[in-house]
Amino acid sequence: MGLLRSRTRRPVACVYLTGFLGHRRFRQPDIDVEIDSDIESSMIKGFVVLVTVFVLHGAVHAADKIRISIANLSGQFMTFSLAHKRGFLKEEGIEAEIIRVTGGASAAALSSGDLDYGTGMTLGGTMTGLPVKVVACFVPAPVFALVARPEIKSVQELKGKTVGISTFGGLSIFGARVIAKHFGLDPDRDLKFVAVGAVEGRFIRLTQGLIDAAVLAPPLDSEAKKKGFNILARADEILVFPETGLVAGVKKIQEKPDEIKRVIKAGIKANRYIRSNRDGTIQFIMEWLKVNREVAATTYDGVVKVYNEDPSVCEKGLRVMIEERKQTLKINRDVPLSEVADLSLIREAQRELGIK
């Protein structure tokens, strides 16, 4: 028959035929065929039907492969791990690998193309030139707590003490600073921040007495309380800012908006599941975090109230973050929301899902 070369591309599939059949072109929706001589119209149509079936079959089953990073294995980061486990990403034609990347490494990997998406809402890299933007929020309020040693009963008593955070550019220090200000402390003068890394490391250092307080997320805040440590403040009771969402490189936003919308839709479906299916989510948490049912239930109850993908709530929180980051990074210029976020795609995704 000759040489057949096929390429599958969304939304148009193209097939080119060469060989003894001459030089003739045939078109119909989704198919572009070149042939090399006169043959019977019925033969052409029959062949095109077969090619159409072959190409479209391949297109339906070829999922886009992506890598999504999460910063921690904790309750507020479960949107995409659950979307992967429950099949919401596959429903959107996405084959995802969920990997753990902490701190500013995620933003750097996004800008270099080593990652497709991040979930942490750190804006420091974006505001200092990295070409990445927030495209969606899934947890637009923080769920972590400031937890201290048994003898420390209030935030004011932390004056001169050490507080364990993830990194100096992460959300934990941002939240700790805002909490300190809320209770009348100057975070630059009154607190000594120690970058410990992941939340498990902060928990271990706190319980071993190596630091005076730490920013902990569910379920480790509750585990610390069981051991006699004090929860001094919960961030969601004091401030609003997005803790987890979806972050993408500017290049991907420009070149693959459809893929981004499909990833966002999977996240929205996961959030809906989390809010409406307590038992199913608790079972997922047990498997994901490898904890017993009691810990999983405590984790769920501690985070479910902040799962919300409303872009207007996200926008409000991002503006709060921008102002705090400007102070931390000593940025004097105006930083518009458009510099750090593009929320047009989540609004489109919501409309396509029938969400007003």
Side-chain angles (χ1 to χ4, degrees):
M1 155 94 36
L3 177 65
L4 172 66
R5 296 175 314 197
S6 172
R7 293 183 302 172
T8 303
R9 181 185 303 169
R10 189 178 279 111
V12 177
C14 297
V15 177
Y16 297 92
L17 301 177
T18 60
F20 74 89
L21 295 178
H23 192 73
R24 184 172 171 187
R25 194 174 187 84
F26 184 91
R27 276 188 179 274
Q28 77 172 43
D30 291 334
I31 292 294
D32 186 349
V33 178
E34 289 191 7
I35 25 189
D36 266 14
S37 76
D38 272 342
I39 60 176
E40 292 294 328
S41 177
S42 60
M43 293 177 63
I44 297 175
K45 291 178 181 177
F47 180 78
V48 169
V49 168
L50 289 173
V51 173
T52 302
V53 171
F54 172 78
V55 172
L56 294 184
H57 177 80
V60 167
H61 291 278
D64 292 324
K65 295 183 179 181
I66 64 169
R67 303 178 81 197
I68 304 175
S69 73
I70 60 173
N72 281 302
L73 295 177
S74 53
Q76 70 271 40
F77 285 97
M78 66 177 155
T79 293
F80 285 103
S81 294
L82 186 143
H84 182 261
K85 181 73 173 179
R86 295 291 184 255
F88 299 131
L89 284 160
K90 282 191 176 180
E91 284 180 9
E92 296 297 333
I94 300 293
E95 183 179 328
E97 179 185 5
I98 312 295
I99 61 176
R100 188 174 180 182
V101 181
T102 60
S106 178
L110 284 171
S111 62
S112 68
D114 292 328
L115 274 177
D116 293 289
Y117 301 97
T119 54
M121 297 285 100
T122 55
L123 300 183
T126 304
M127 292 171 63
T128 54
L130 286 179
V132 299
K133 288 187 178 184
V134 176
V135 294
C137 297
F138 293 105
V139 177
V143 296
F144 56 73
L146 185 59
V147 185
R149 295 168 64 171
E151 64 270 22
I152 298 174
K153 309 295 185 183
S154 69
V155 174
Q156 288 87 348
E157 292 177 39
L158 284 176
K159 189 171 183 177
K161 306 294 186 182
T162 56
V163 179
I165 56 167
S166 58
T167 67
F168 285 103
L171 288 174
S172 59
I173 189 172
F174 169 75
R177 287 175 60 86
V178 173
I179 291 171
K181 289 178 182 179
H182 180 81
F183 287 96
L185 296 182
D186 183 331
D188 295 315
R189 290 200 313 259
D190 297 333
L191 299 180
K192 299 174 184 177
F193 292 109
V194 180
V196 178
V199 66
E200 300 95 332
R202 283 173 260 156
F203 175 81
I204 291 171
R205 291 207 179 192
L206 177 64
T207 54
Q208 289 180 345
L210 301 176
I211 52 179
D212 299 303
V215 176
L216 299 179
L220 293 180
D221 54 350
S222 297
E223 290 300 301
K225 186 176 180 180
K226 289 178 183 178
K227 293 178 179 292
F229 291 79
N230 294 317
I231 296 178
L232 304 182
R234 291 194 177 277
D236 64 301
E237 297 173 355
I238 296 171
L239 68 156
V240 174
F241 70 86
E243 187 164 8
T244 67
L246 193 68
V247 181
V250 171
K251 183 178 180 182
K252 182 174 281 287
I253 294 171
Q254 294 169 344
E255 296 179 354
K256 295 188 175 182
D258 177 69
E259 178 189 283
I260 295 174
K261 279 199 295 183
R262 287 184 286 124
V263 176
I264 290 172
K265 287 178 183 177
I268 291 172
K269 291 176 183 178
N271 268 24
R272 285 176 167 177
Y273 182 96
I274 291 167
R275 290 194 299 267
S276 64
N277 193 329
R278 184 176 188 272
D279 288 342
T281 306
I282 288 173
Q283 182 62 40
F284 164 77
I285 293 171
M286 290 171 63
E287 298 167 2
W288 182 50
L289 298 182
K290 296 178 174 57
V291 295
N292 61 37
R293 186 170 186 84
E294 180 185 357
V295 173
T298 300
T299 301
Y300 177 85
D301 293 336
V303 302
V304 65
K305 61 184 176 181
V306 295
Y307 272 85
N308 181 352
E309 60 279 358
D310 185 343
S312 62
V313 178
C314 177
E315 183 175 327
K316 179 181 177 182
L318 286 171
R319 293 187 188 280
V320 172
M321 289 187 71
I322 288 171
E323 292 307 311
E324 175 62 27
R325 282 286 185 263
K326 283 173 63 177
Q327 294 181 29
T328 304
L329 299 171
K330 296 179 171 42
I331 296 174
N332 297 319
R333 64 181 177 84
D334 180 55
V335 179
L337 183 68
S338 59
E339 184 175 319
V340 302
D342 180 351
L343 301 180
S344 62
L345 293 175
I346 187 172
R347 289 188 169 98
E348 290 180 24
Q350 287 182 317
R351 284 195 298 269
E352 292 174 11
L353 288 173
I355 301 171
K356 297 182 180 179

